[in-house]
Amino acid sequence: MTQKTLAVIFFLCCLAQIRAFSQNRDSLKVRTDTSKAAVEKPAVVKDSARLVLESLPRKAAIKSAILPGLGQIANRRWWKVPLIYGGFIGLGIVFEFNQRNYKVFLEEAQYRELNPGKTKDPRFAPYSNSGIISIKDSYRRNRDLTILAGLGFYAINIIDAYVDAKFFRFDISDELSLKVDPVIQQGDYINASAGKPAVGIKLSLSL
């Protein structure tokens, strides 16, 4: 066998190996693409009714952000509106009380600083300068905490409207009920000699 023949045979073997490798690579790519297509989920098509239900929480939250209690009205939770405004009114009263007393003690502290040894309001004569400043700072701290509480209550109002609208889509109708009935049960075989029936309660859940 000549060297040319060996070279031709070697070349043909190399071509066969390259062709086989290319076919395996193409088949692997096809399987990968097929698996990806199988993994991809079909797009979910939502009807108009579902889109309206999904938009309710966002709309209720926006309404309560614009005007507290408006989202609760949209969710048909009318009884929550007096509670919301009652909370705001209570926080407003606490804020006004602390702000008014803070100004009183602030003026007293400023007067004593400008007039050493003197007192502007005779009611505060027994208090030292450090005591007046401490009381002033206490009222200021309570006032600031009231502002933070008001912001938190405002956020709770928005969250409540959002959560109510979120649960609004669930159907809680008369078909879902819990019925409680008294029943009389006979004694078991072990205590049959007693001959006394037992009184019990039967719970029936209807879905």
Side-chain angles (χ1 to χ4, degrees):
M1 187 178 290
T2 62
Q3 292 181 353
K4 291 183 178 180
T5 305
L6 292 175
V8 171
I9 293 173
F10 179 76
F11 180 73
L12 291 176
C13 291
C14 290
L15 287 178
Q17 292 292 334
I18 293 173
R19 184 176 180 183
F21 177 77
S22 177
Q23 289 178 352
N24 292 334
R25 186 176 179 182
D26 293 340
S27 62
L28 179 61
K29 184 177 180 181
V30 170
R31 288 197 299 268
T32 304
D33 295 340
T34 304
S35 62
K36 287 183 178 179
V39 171
E40 292 180 355
K41 296 181 179 179
V44 178
V45 180
K46 300 180 180 180
D47 57 4
S48 59
R50 183 173 180 180
L51 292 175
V52 171
L53 288 176
E54 290 183 352
S55 66
L56 287 178
R58 180 177 58 85
K59 291 181 179 179
I62 293 175
K63 289 180 180 180
S64 286
I66 296 175
L67 180 63
L70 189 60
Q72 283 74 10
I73 294 176
N75 295 335
R76 300 177 184 177
R77 301 292 190 268
W78 306 87
W79 57 272
K80 290 186 177 182
V81 177
L83 299 178
I84 292 174
Y85 282 95
F88 280 118
I89 292 174
L91 290 172
I93 293 174
V94 175
F95 173 84
E96 190 278 331
F97 172 79
N98 288 283
Q99 176 68 9
R100 174 164 41 85
N101 286 280
Y102 166 72
K103 288 184 177 181
V104 171
F105 283 92
L106 176 62
E107 292 176 358
E108 181 67 25
Q110 292 175 344
Y111 181 85
R112 290 190 180 191
E113 184 178 358
L114 297 176
N115 303 278
K118 294 184 180 180
T119 302
K120 181 179 180 179
D121 194 330
R123 296 177 301 171
F124 305 141
Y127 297 94
S128 62
N129 293 344
S130 60
I132 292 294
I133 294 174
S134 177
I135 296 174
K136 171 185 69 68
D137 293 340
S138 177
Y139 280 117
R140 182 183 61 185
R141 181 175 62 254
N142 293 338
R143 180 203 62 187
D144 295 342
L145 290 176
T146 305
I147 294 175
L148 294 177
L151 294 175
F153 195 75
Y154 174 76
I156 291 175
N157 151 71
I158 299 175
I159 295 173
D160 176 76
Y162 181 88
V163 173
D164 267 347
K166 200 76 173 178
F167 284 104
F168 183 76
R169 70 181 65 181
F170 294 98
D171 184 16
I172 303 177
S173 60
D174 295 337
E175 296 179 358
L176 178 62
S177 61
L178 178 64
K179 188 176 181 181
V180 181
D181 295 321
V183 295
I184 299 178
Q185 299 177 347
Q186 298 295 330
D188 53 15
Y189 291 102
I190 298 176
N191 299 324
S193 59
K196 294 182 180 180
V199 179
I201 297 177
K202 180 180 178 182
L203 302 178
S204 302
L205 180 62
S206 301
L207 299 177

